[in-house]
Amino acid sequence: MKLGAIEAGGTKFVVAIGNENGEVLERDSFPTTTPEETMNNIFKFFDGKNVEAIGLGCFGPIDPDLKSETYGYITTTPKPGWGHYNIVGALQEHYPQMPIGFDTDVNGAALGEAYFGAAKGLDSALYLTIGTGIGGGAIVEGNLVHGLLHPEMGHMYLERREDDTYKGKCPYHGTCFEGLAAGPAVEERWGVKGKDLPVDHPAWDLEAWYIAQALAIYVLTISPKKIILGGGIMHQSQLFPMIHKYLQERLNGYIQKDEITTDAIKDYIVWPELGDNAGVCGALALAKLALERQRN
């Protein structure tokens, strides 16, 4: 299969051509500007490449419900010009009859890790990206999780640690997970970007405490067989052992599985095997699914 991939972010778009094995053969990127300019850059990349399907992992919120009148739309994003934009419709208009796979960027990354990466061979996994924002995608019994909309795992309220007086950064929810632990919250709380903080700074212990609290909720609700943590914050590799410790403390022996209660937790909560290619490979997986649906 010759597949097209689009990782659509609020800051930049990454476009690529690859195959059904998750191998990226060609790629390019460009800033996210206006819809018209950005889509023209997409068309310039794919025109004449003869891809069989395109997968689009997109920033959101989006409407991924095939039965909805606004399927394929980016909906209430604050990104100027992109609110209520029919991005799938624009692709279909330019490439009639082309199978288009469409989902959130984090659902795409979860699918990529399940097809090609750290969760390969598992029918259950959770992928979180912790960076400028926090988002999550989940696979349960082999299927991506959708519902009324799609998971917004970064926006659940968390208990604030006693020694943390920070008011929270999220403009909607204040002290939700994203408001307490995403990159902008780290920067505002400590007055410096996370990448410029030393590895032994107290910021990282607090960060691990919040991430572990969120993971405990996910473990108790969707019970993933693998948890994959990506995004810019998770480049701080010292976070992983602290997250492991705090998650074990929070669950307090209630989940009696070796993946939680023993040192095997280091293989249960991991960095993406696909690294920073998780989004692109996820879009390839979405394209593969779309092509298979059309053929069937």
Side-chain angles (χ1 to χ4, degrees), residues 116-170:
F116 314 120
K120 188 174 182 179
L122 299 178
D123 66 353
S124 167
L126 169 69
Y127 180 95
L128 284 181
T129 181
I130 305 172
T132 304
I134 296 178
I139 294 173
V140 175
E141 295 184 344
N143 297 307
L144 287 166
V145 172
H146 299 103
L148 184 65
L149 186 63
H150 49 74
E152 285 286 0
M153 298 187 189
H155 288 275
M156 62 183 180
Y157 282 102
L158 295 184
E159 167 192 351
R160 193 161 55 181
R161 201 164 77 172
E162 290 181 356
D163 62 345
D164 184 20
T165 59
Y166 180 58
K167 67 184 185 306
K169 184 69 173 174
C170 177

Side-chain angles (χ1 to χ4, degrees), residues 2 17 26 44-52:
K2 189 177 184 183
I17 293 172
E26 182 181 352
K44 287 177 185 176
F45 179 80
F46 286 116
D47 283 356
K49 300 292 178 65
N50 298 315
V51 296
E52 299 176 70

Side-chain angles (χ1 to χ4, degrees), residues 7 14 47 100 102 106 110 169 205 209 218 235 244 275 289:
E7 182 184 2
V14 180
D47 283 356
I100 306 291
F102 177 61
V106 281
K169 184 69 173 174
D205 182 78
W209 193 87
Y218 304 141
H235 283 282
H244 299 160
L289 271 181

Side-chain angles (χ1 to χ4, degrees), residues 233-270:
I233 289 288
M234 296 312 303
H235 283 282
Q236 301 287 334
S237 58
Q238 74 275 14
L239 282 169
F240 281 92
M242 292 189 283
I243 292 168
H244 299 160
K245 174 176 76 78
Y246 281 131
L247 178 61
Q248 288 173 328
E249 289 177 1
R250 183 162 285 270
L251 291 174
N252 196 31
Y254 185 72
I255 304 296
Q256 283 294 310
K257 295 291 289 185
D258 288 348
E259 289 88 346
I260 299 291
T261 59
T262 73
D263 287 344
I265 196 170
K266 71 181 188 304
D267 299 315
Y268 176 62
I269 302 171
V270 298

Side-chain angles (χ1 to χ4, degrees), residues 1-12:
M1 297 178 184
K2 189 177 184 183
L3 304 172
I6 304 170
E7 182 184 2
T11 303
K12 69 175 181 178

